[in-house]
Amino acid sequence: EKDKTSVVMQATLADSGIRLNDMEIFQGKKRLASGELFLPLNPFDMISGKKFSEAILPATALHARLQTVGDLDIAELFLSFGQTSPILGSLRGEILASGKPDAMVIQAEVRGRGLQPTGGPAPPSELSLTLDAREGVANASGTLQPKGLSPITIALTSPLGLTTGPDGLPRLMDPEGRLIGKIHIPRTELEVLRPFLPPLKSQTGSLSAQIDIGGTVASPTLLGSLLLENGRIEVAEGIPSLDNLQASLRFENQGLQIQTFTGEVGAGPFQISGGISLLDFRNPVYDLKLEGSKVLLHRSTDLRLRSDIRLSAKGSNEGGRIEGDVGIVDGRLFRRLEITPLIAPSPSEAARPFIAPSFSGLVPAPFDAWTVQVSIKNTTPFQIIGNIASGEIQPDLVVTGTLGKPWPLGSVLLYGARAFLPFTTMDIREGRIDFVESDPWMPILDVRGFAEALDYDIRLHAFGPLSQGNLTLRSDPPLSQEAIILLLTTGIAPGFHAGAGFGEAAVGQGGMLLLRTLLRQFDIQGLDTESLLNRLQVSAVPPKLPGDSAGLRARLQIWRGLSVMTEQDDLGFYNIGATYRFRFR
């Protein structure tokens, strides 16, 4: 195949070692690299069950040579393995190794040209990495040279040679061997380091560092500082960006201490404090705190969420815990609660199963196993806003579980909320939505509502798991469930079926729906347009005699039972009057 990667070689297995001759790597028909390898390793010892260290032939010298054929296009190389490369540019390299396993002589060199993050505006960079090892000591150095900027350099001296540890396992580096090194990052734009950072939408600002490396292979130490200035990070679309990031970090006493780390999210300031212990580089110990005031969590045309945040994170690679509280500040839901899908769901909605949100892969290991215990409550009222305040949301939740699989426990209360139907609105004086551990993320409803439609008082009760769709509707005067649903969704009085006058009724209701839809687009300060529209009714009057046409009737309720109405009579004239309705039980 054109882009298939393949390896061609001649292999020889013997008790004196493993030999790979005439080794060539191809991408399609293009030769990428060539080389040869001899390993002083008895393969038959390993097949018979001996340890790797027992199969090594310490008195026999190894030999290795591998080199690229010209410059390799990084993007094409990744593509040949079915991956998308995070870096553009080319690489060229060569490695030569010889000598006995405990005293290897290694020379290696890698050169990179035109290196840039895929899709990023960073300037192209040149990369140079070299390794020279002999007599058990390796000297490595590297330089990343962005065009027009100062170079980022790293240098390290370490032990390199096969040794056997106390557990009998072979090691290429003596755990007690000394490390000497230095990392120098002059004031450099963050975008240059994009290939070495987690995948983010964008990052700007400058980073500088001067770090000395010491200690041993088993217990390395870092001493120095890292400075971040004027940073801005966009994680992903729809997630608020981190702005005005300023940080000063200090490496000392085998740990990282945060001297200052501040920033803003939507003009809401936050700060991070604490540090990370690096006594064991393979298992860092974290002790961090996050505090923020009016930090923006979400902003869209429908919803705005800010919060006061107090969180702590303590743990290591073996496990940890995040706990604290989030207090919602000035929460606003700029969206009407639509209740029509609940009482008359479309076939597609009714057949759609409930799918709990999945967080798999969003948090990397080992942090996905950290436990969570974060409470969410209101610091100030969380309001549902239309042209007037139309309800309040009061969460009393605890997010628990793990970072990789969190779930909410507790309840969300609705007070004084208003739900919208095509021809009326429903008042929800108090409603409750619960979340329980036995069925994570499934809302359990206990919501009661009241509405007026024509001459009927309607009461609604939604209860139980949302997936079950438990709903009862009652009316006064009594109507069947089907008649109540017809009344709420079409505004047509029960018993007014197809026949004489039905077309006029439908036209009248269509006009009312158009009027309601139009007025709902305007916010008239101090005027409750929904309440006004609920008191206005337009209906058709069936013809009294065969051959007559249906008439129209309009009624505006002034107070409970008292209405002003107009109706077209048999002669085509419109009469205006007032009525007062008495209801006997």
Side-chain angles (χ1 to χ4, degrees), residues 259-278:
Q259 295 178 319
T260 60
F261 197 135
T262 61
E264 297 177 352
V265 182
F270 72 87
Q271 65 176 7
I272 300 174
S273 59
I276 304 173
S277 172
L278 301 173

Side-chain angles (χ1 to χ4, degrees), residues 51-257:
K51 296 180 180 178
F52 180 81
S53 57
E54 296 173 337
I56 294 176
L57 305 173
T60 305
L62 66 80
H63 173 75
R65 179 185 61 83
L66 182 66
Q67 61 187 17
T68 61
V69 179
D71 290 341
L72 302 184
D73 186 283
I74 299 175
E76 289 184 4
L77 189 61
F78 271 78
L79 187 61
S80 67
F81 289 96
Q83 304 293 321
T84 300
S85 173
I87 308 173
L88 301 176
S90 63
L91 287 176
R92 175 193 292 262
E94 180 180 18
I95 180 170
L96 298 173
S98 61
K100 295 180 181 180
D102 59 348
M104 293 181 291
V105 176
I106 302 175
Q107 289 182 310
E109 185 176 9
V110 175
R111 303 283 182 183
R113 299 172 57 190
L115 304 180
Q116 286 180 287
T118 303
S125 300
E126 304 292 315
L127 175 68
S128 174
L129 296 175
T130 61
L131 172 68
D132 186 278
R134 59 191 67 242
E135 299 180 358
V137 178
N139 293 290
S141 62
T143 301
L144 181 67
Q145 174 70 69
K147 185 176 181 180
L149 298 174
S150 300
I152 300 170
T153 60
I154 181 172
L156 180 66
T157 299
S158 71
L160 183 62
L162 193 66
T163 61
T164 301
D167 53 4
L169 296 177
R171 291 183 173 88
L172 278 175
M173 301 176 72
D174 181 3
E176 300 304 318
R178 303 296 300 179
L179 295 177
I180 302 174
K182 188 181 294 290
I183 300 174
H184 175 61
I185 304 177
R187 193 172 184 274
T188 302
E189 296 302 311
L190 270 180
E191 192 65 35
V192 173
L193 303 176
R194 186 172 184 177
F196 310 101
L197 298 175
L200 303 169
K201 183 181 178 184
S202 70
Q203 61 273 328
T204 57
S206 64
L207 183 72
S208 59
Q210 183 71 43
I211 302 170
D212 292 325
I213 304 171
T216 64
V217 172
S219 183
T221 62
L222 300 177
L223 179 63
S225 61
L226 184 149
L227 189 65
L228 171 64
E229 299 176 283
N230 303 320
R232 184 175 190 273
I233 295 177
E234 289 186 84
V235 178
E237 194 72 36
I239 299 178
S241 61
L242 307 178
D243 302 314
N244 195 25
L245 296 174
Q246 312 288 340
S248 176
L249 312 180
R250 181 71 183 171
F251 292 92
E252 59 184 4
N253 299 325
Q254 291 187 296
L256 170 64
Q257 195 66 31

